[in-house]
Amino acid sequence: MNRVRNGVSSDRRQEQAFLQAERLRGAGFLSRAAAGYRDVLKRPAGGDQDLWLESCLGLVSCLRSLGETAEARRFWNLGRKAAAVKASREIQERMDLEGALIDRAAGRYRISLVRLERHLARFRKRKDWAGAGFALWAIGGALRFCGRLEDSRRAFRESLRLARRASDAAGVAYALFGMGGVTRIQGRLTEARRHYAAALRAVEGSGDIFALAYAHCGLANVLRQRGDVREAERHYRRAHGLYRRLEDPVDLAYVDWGLGQIYLRQGKLPAAEKSLRLALAAFARGGETRGVVLCETSLAGLLHALGRTAEAEGLFARAVRRARRAGTHTPIWNSLPEARNRSGSA
């Protein structure tokens, strides 16, 4: 028998908590959504198993997006075991896809690519074009982080085509984000600006604050690389306010890094060092290796400008070792004069 409190059954309260968490996640409030999903998961998986598993999937998605990959994997393992008992095939497949996305978020790009390609084949076979577009978006990000830039661009371009075929507005926006990011790294700055501007138009008014913050940050990165520092700073400030509102410390750190780069260009070295060290601390707390490497290489350049050569060289060498262990090419991109940045998301 369900216990009743204030006229609302326990099951009903759990369902309401789940629906509120879903709304928060859709708007980009990932930390608050995660708290809602955790409330649902306090009940044993043997109750309303579908609601429990959906909440587990939602929580894992929030945690990996926030960079909390170890915690995401812990809940994913709990969900995978529960799903193996009597969950539908669809739930099991979604759980496996989340596992691939955790690998990707944790920097295990080659492993994630194998798993994502398998899901892409499954979506194509079923003619699920929205699903295939999503898988290609994830593949494009993993390829980019591996340094396979042209392969990444092709994956994002195909993701965009399929998202449009499926009339998937969110898929279109995120494919444009991916196209903007990889073309920026390739030095195709006019093209990158066009993609990010189109993505910004696509998400304005959507209610997805995370996507809006992402668009402003991406556009700021391109503008900074083009030398339009005042306009870039304006977009960084907009992204900064949105990420603070979302309580998203890792993506906020990428904005702080970008502002640090602006200050470096302006010769404001104390302000640049303050922003870069803020970003470095947030990346370290969030386990964001790529961000840590970015900050270390940027700080190395700043220290060199201050005449602290030995300290700068030691920091840069440490960043390179860290990047090689993680299999990321960030130090290379960070050293290119027209391709210095990478955003926090794919």
Side-chain angles (χ1 to χ4, degrees):
M1 180 180 295
N2 294 327
R3 288 188 294 178
V4 175
R5 182 184 303 167
N6 297 327
V8 181
S9 72
S10 177
D11 284 346
R12 181 59 179 161
R13 285 199 308 275
Q14 296 299 313
E15 184 180 354
Q16 289 173 341
F18 169 75
L19 292 174
Q20 176 65 2
E22 289 282 279
R23 285 191 288 270
L24 289 167
R25 181 161 67 111
F29 291 93
L30 302 184
S31 295
R32 289 166 60 187
Y37 290 127
R38 286 178 190 272
D39 283 344
V40 181
L41 295 177
K42 288 176 182 177
R43 298 190 67 190
D48 185 339
Q49 191 188 49
D50 287 345
L51 184 65
W52 194 94
L53 287 170
E54 289 288 351
S55 297
C56 187
L57 282 164
L59 178 58
V60 169
S61 175
C62 289
L63 292 172
R64 66 166 169 78
S65 297
L66 290 167
E68 299 177 30
T69 53
E71 187 74 348
R73 194 176 298 280
R74 184 173 76 83
F75 277 99
W76 178 78
N77 279 322
L78 291 174
R80 181 172 56 88
K81 290 174 183 176
V85 178
K86 57 178 180 179
S88 67
R89 182 178 178 183
E90 179 199 355
I91 288 285
Q92 291 180 3
E93 288 173 344
R94 287 171 58 199
M95 196 67 71
D96 187 72
L97 178 57
E98 276 298 331
L101 294 171
I102 293 171
D103 283 335
R104 176 179 174 273
R108 303 174 67 191
Y109 304 122
R110 290 171 178 80
I111 293 172
S112 72
L113 279 169
V114 172
R115 300 178 70 179
L116 289 167
E117 290 283 359
R118 186 172 68 246
H119 285 283
L120 174 60
R122 173 172 63 84
F123 287 129
R124 285 190 185 279
K125 184 176 180 180
R126 295 177 183 174
K127 296 185 179 181
D128 179 349
W129 306 126
F134 175 83
L136 280 161
W137 168 81
I139 287 168
L143 289 169
R144 169 188 157 183
F145 298 148
C146 288
R148 294 168 57 184
L149 300 184
E150 193 54 32
D151 288 340
S152 172
R153 190 166 75 99
R154 282 193 290 269
F156 283 130
R157 188 168 56 223
E158 180 66 2
S159 174
L160 180 61
R161 186 184 73 82
L162 293 179
R164 284 173 172 159
R165 181 175 181 177
S167 299
D168 179 3
V172 167
Y174 277 87
L176 286 168
F177 287 144
M179 289 289 290
V182 71
T183 53
R184 184 182 75 243
I185 293 168
Q186 290 179 310
R188 303 167 181 251
L189 300 185
T190 300
E191 181 182 349
R193 182 178 185 178
R194 185 173 70 249
H195 291 314
Y196 275 120
L200 180 57
R201 289 193 299 271
V203 300
E204 281 181 322
S206 69
D208 188 339
I209 298 174
F210 179 87
L212 189 59
Y214 191 1
H216 279 292
C217 185
L219 191 52
N221 290 332
V222 176
L223 291 165
R224 172 181 52 76
Q225 289 173 213
R226 286 167 58 97
D228 302 329
V229 292
R230 289 186 179 178
E231 188 70 0
E233 185 173 1
R234 185 176 72 83
H235 284 284
Y236 277 133
R237 295 293 179 194
R238 180 69 174 130
H240 202 279
L242 291 166
Y243 280 133
R244 284 181 65 88
R245 183 178 169 190
L246 293 171
E247 300 175 347
D248 183 347
V250 171
D251 282 313
L252 181 64
Y254 278 105
V255 179
D256 280 325
W257 178 86
L259 286 169
Q261 297 298 101
I262 292 284
Y263 298 144
L264 278 173
R265 288 193 176 215
Q266 294 173 333
K268 301 175 182 177
L269 299 190
E273 183 170 7
K274 180 180 178 181
S275 287
L276 292 173
R277 292 200 182 278
L278 274 174
L280 178 59
F283 285 136
R285 285 194 299 271
E288 181 76 356
T289 301
R290 288 179 284 112
V292 170
V293 172
L294 261 183
C295 286
E296 287 178 335
T297 54
S298 295
L299 281 167
L302 185 149
L303 292 171
H304 187 270
L306 292 172
R308 294 154 64 179
T309 306
E311 187 179 354
E313 290 179 349
L315 184 58
F316 186 81
R318 185 161 69 245
V320 172
R321 289 194 299 271
R322 190 189 307 278
R324 285 176 174 164
R325 285 196 303 270
T328 179
H329 297 263
T330 299
I332 299 173
W333 294 335
N334 195 30
S335 66
L336 296 177
E338 294 300 329
R340 289 177 176 256
N341 185 55
R342 60 186 303 137
S343 75
S345 305

